[in-house]
Amino acid sequence: MNPARLLHEAGQSLWLDSINRHMLTTGTLAHYIDQFAVTGLTSNPTILGHAMAASTDYDDTLGHLVVNGVRKPQDLVYAAALEDLVAAADLFRPTWEATAGLDGYVSLEVPPGLAYEAQASIEVARRLHAQAGRPNLLIKIPGTPPGLTAMETLVAEGIGVNVTLLFSDAHYLRTADAYLRSLQRRLAAGQSLDVPSVASVFISRWDKAADDLLPGGLHGRLGLAMASKVYASYQSLLNDERWKMLAASGARPQRVLWASTSAKDPALPDTYYLGRLAARGTIDTVPEKTLLAFVDHGEAVELMQPDYAAAHAIIAEVAAAGIDVDALGESLQRHGARAFEADWETLLENIGAKVTALAPT
């Protein structure tokens, strides 16, 4: 059994952090589902940019849209992205049905420039959710304070949300609290509590930011410690009376998703994070290159245990070495939001150039 399937058997879901038209039309994604137990998929501005601007695979779709009067680059991007993500959602629909809605999701992000605009995020998310028309498509919202306000409203309305750009335990706990509040609102209104959500916690970016400032013995350890701390908090929440009351009324947990799991340090193995993030009930979303490397030569290590004290000890060592971990977590979230916004603007510029070339004369 290949390592990817071993992770699946151990109780962790593998989602692909990639999507493109070629992957769909050649049957590559279907192959990953069948052979590597991939049970979901995520996208972001960088992924969409690489897919649409770096190839001619979307030219026919874009040309058709332009002929039919769609000219704004953002509208074109979302129209093309929805074609891919709806097709992917349909491939994962059997998984979604077999797991009663626990697994089998794809994600589509609101424009990154809305990371600090709650109401605008809500309006775009509603529109994208309605356009997709698939129960297993999650709307991706950054976990900034305004983003969490948007997430709470959307979940209260019954729209599934993938909360992204979470880095610290504090980020995760604020997200979990907002999710529980939204479920309590639905419970008070007599509505179903079966609204899916995942909390996407970024891992390798911690080490990329910190390792150059740390002694060698701490390299590659801060991101994993953060994951362990979040996992401990997640397990603790499942034993909390507030959650138990909601679960008894039909709620399901907001699953923890490990994001940014490719090794950024060339000194680390290319599968360094993947096996070490194995934790029952969680999701690991991986770039295509990392997935293939893991299948080829990865090793699934022992399942992560919810050891808050051990994680805190490593974080304390990092702090003793001179890094303000709390400040770094906030900086990583702000920087991540800006980086995604820059990628989005680059994508729109590239699509705008394509529109000019494709527009009828």
Side-chain angles (χ1 to χ4, degrees):
M1 186 179 295
N2 69 57
R5 283 198 166 277
L6 286 175
L7 278 184
H8 179 78
E9 293 298 322
Q12 184 176 58
S13 297
L14 269 183
W15 287 10
L16 188 66
D17 194 27
S18 182
I19 180 68
N20 58 63
R21 187 66 52 87
H22 181 78
M23 186 184 295
L24 292 163
T25 57
T26 61
T28 300
L29 180 57
H31 173 73
Y32 293 162
I33 293 170
D34 181 58
Q35 296 298 314
F36 304 155
V38 170
T39 56
L41 179 149
T42 55
S43 67
N44 62 42
T46 304
I47 289 169
L48 294 176
H50 288 163
M52 293 185 190
S55 78
T56 59
D57 291 346
Y58 293 86
D59 286 2
D60 287 346
T61 294
L62 294 173
H64 175 76
L65 290 166
V66 168
V67 167
N68 283 277
V70 182
R71 296 296 176 89
K72 291 183 179 178
Q74 182 164 293
D75 294 341
L76 288 164
V77 168
Y78 275 119
L82 278 167
E83 282 191 16
D84 284 0
L85 287 163
V86 165
D90 290 345
L91 283 175
F92 288 113
R93 185 67 175 258
T95 299
W96 182 81
E97 292 174 347
T99 60
L102 177 68
D103 212 338
Y105 290 94
V106 302
S107 298
L108 176 62
E109 190 164 351
V110 300
L114 302 182
Y116 294 90
E117 298 182 34
Q119 188 56 43
S121 293
I122 291 167
E123 292 169 3
V124 173
R126 286 170 177 159
R127 184 169 68 251
L128 293 176
H129 181 260
Q131 287 176 322
R134 295 295 187 275
N136 58 329
L137 185 140
L138 302 175
I139 299 299
K140 216 172 187 182
I141 302 283
T144 58
L148 294 182
T149 297
M151 183 271 277
E152 185 175 343
T153 296
L154 293 167
V155 172
E157 293 178 2
I159 296 174
V161 175
N162 176 345
V163 185
T164 188
L165 280 180
L166 305 177
F167 288 88
S168 66
D169 189 49
H171 289 166
Y172 166 69
L173 289 172
R174 288 198 292 266
T175 300
D177 187 58
Y179 181 61
L180 295 180
R181 285 198 306 271
S182 65
L183 293 182
Q184 288 172 323
R185 287 168 60 181
R186 290 185 65 83
L187 181 64
Q191 298 170 315
S192 168
L193 303 191
D194 188 11
V195 183
S197 182
V198 299
S200 296
V201 182
F202 285 49
I203 307 302
S204 67
R205 293 191 191 186
W206 280 103
D207 298 322
K208 180 176 174 57
D211 278 0
D212 287 347
L213 306 174
L214 295 173
L218 286 173
H219 286 189
R221 299 184 69 190
L222 179 56
L224 293 174
M226 284 295 175
S228 182
K229 195 173 182 181
V230 167
Y231 187 57
S233 293
Y234 169 67
Q235 292 295 326
S236 179
L237 280 175
L238 295 182
N239 291 312
D240 185 81
E241 289 303 317
R242 182 185 180 196
W243 166 251
K244 288 181 178 179
M245 181 270 292
L246 291 167
S249 299
R252 66 178 68 209
Q254 181 187 50
R255 298 181 71 189
V256 172
L257 180 152
W258 309 127
S260 185
T261 59
S262 60
K264 307 295 190 292
D265 184 349
L268 295 175
D270 54 1
T271 62
Y272 177 77
Y273 294 99
L274 192 48
R276 289 171 175 81
L277 291 169
R280 194 180 305 279
T282 65
I283 302 162
D284 196 327
T285 182
V286 295
E288 185 177 19
K289 183 178 178 181
T290 306
L291 172 67
L292 295 175
F294 188 68
V295 169
D296 179 65
H297 54 264
E299 296 182 2
V301 299
E302 293 183 5
L303 288 173
M304 183 189 299
Q305 299 302 314
D307 192 338
Y308 192 94
H312 185 73
I314 294 172
I315 294 167
E317 285 187 61
V318 171
I323 292 180
D324 185 332
V325 177
D326 291 338
L328 179 57
E330 296 305 315
S331 174
L332 285 169
Q333 187 178 73
R334 290 192 300 272
H335 176 76
R338 289 196 299 269
F340 277 146
E341 184 174 5
D343 288 343
W344 183 252
E345 291 302 321
T346 298
L347 170 58
L348 296 185
E349 289 174 8
N350 289 334
I351 295 301
K354 279 184 177 272
V355 169
T356 301
L358 294 168
T361 57

